[in-house]
Amino acid sequence: MIKSTTTLLLILLYVCKAEAQSAQYKPFEVDLGIVIAFPVNNDLKLGIGAYIEPKYNIHDNVALGLKAEFVAIYSKVAAEINGEEIDINVSGITSIVATSDYYFTTDVLRPFVGVGAGVYLLGDIKYEDNVLSKEHIGSRFGFMPRVGVVAGHFRLALEYNVIAGLTDLNERSYFGLKLGFEIGGGKIH
């Protein structure tokens, strides 16, 4: 799945480079930032993570990318108090997603919408009663609609990561509030 997604993205980049290129923006950029995750499963509470997303601007209003993201979502965390044991339950989600964004303007403030699809790798870590256990849930296909705004090199976005093929008990889909910045890219002066 990862190989086919990467191959498809490379083919798209090659074809787009041959056909078009952004006139006002530098062709390559890399987005970096943090993610605050809000899971749709009520048993999970809140999460945090990080992402990196290299992109190629095929047009002033269109960018293609490949997002790699890791999010840790907790369901139970208890601190050690007066020698009592620590209980920790964390779900880890790693995703590799091919993305496309459409920017509505070419100004400094650029609202956008985007979509993505790819693979999500899922697992849980539990530490209870002095026993560490890991559960590998596996990989699943997922997709991701998003909206946001870029102001200069600062990026703010809201994504809905929909992970298919899981039962209610193992549901791991989440909303991600992303705060980040772009390295490279920007307007050609």
Side-chain angles (χ1 to χ4, degrees):
M1 183 71 160
I2 293 174
K3 285 183 179 179
S4 55
T5 302
T6 304
T7 303
L8 177 62
L9 182 65
L10 291 173
I11 291 169
L12 284 172
L13 286 174
Y14 178 76
V15 169
C16 292
K17 181 164 177 53
E19 294 298 320
Q21 184 172 340
S22 176
Q24 295 183 38
Y25 286 86
K26 296 175 187 170
F28 289 103
E29 66 186 53
V30 177
D31 295 344
L32 296 169
I34 62 168
V35 180
I36 302 170
F38 302 93
V40 297
N41 183 339
N42 290 332
D43 292 336
L44 301 175
K45 306 299 183 211
L46 187 67
I48 191 157
Y51 73 95
I52 183 169
E53 185 175 349
K55 292 184 176 179
Y56 183 75
N57 294 308
I58 63 170
H59 185 273
D60 286 335
N61 301 92
V62 179
L64 298 178
L66 186 63
K67 177 184 79 161
E69 179 173 284
F70 176 77
V71 175
I73 300 175
Y74 77 91
S75 58
K76 178 180 172 184
V77 175
E80 183 176 336
I81 301 173
N82 297 329
E84 291 184 35
E85 299 173 15
I86 298 174
D87 291 338
I88 300 172
N89 295 341
V90 177
S91 293
I93 303 170
T94 302
S95 60
I96 306 293
V97 176
T99 63
S100 177
D101 291 334
Y102 177 80
Y103 297 90
F104 292 101
T105 71
T106 57
D107 300 329
V108 173
L109 189 63
R110 303 180 73 198
F112 68 90
V113 295
V115 294
V119 65
Y120 290 76
L121 309 169
L122 311 167
D124 289 340
I125 296 174
K126 295 179 182 179
Y127 184 77
E128 295 176 319
D129 301 324
N130 292 325
V131 176
L132 179 66
S133 63
K134 299 177 186 178
E135 179 185 357
H136 178 70
I137 297 172
S139 61
R140 299 290 190 272
F141 173 79
F143 65 94
M144 171 216 63
R146 64 181 170 189
V147 297
V149 64
V150 174
H153 285 275
F154 176 75
R155 184 177 181 88
L156 175 67
L158 179 64
E159 297 180 347
Y160 181 36
N161 291 270
V162 180
I163 304 169
L166 297 173
T167 63
D168 290 341
L169 181 61
N170 287 326
E171 175 64 58
R172 296 296 186 269
S173 297
Y174 64 94
F175 288 94
L177 178 62
K178 302 183 99 166
L179 307 166
F181 58 94
E182 296 177 343
I183 298 172
K187 282 204 169 200
I188 299 170
H189 299 287

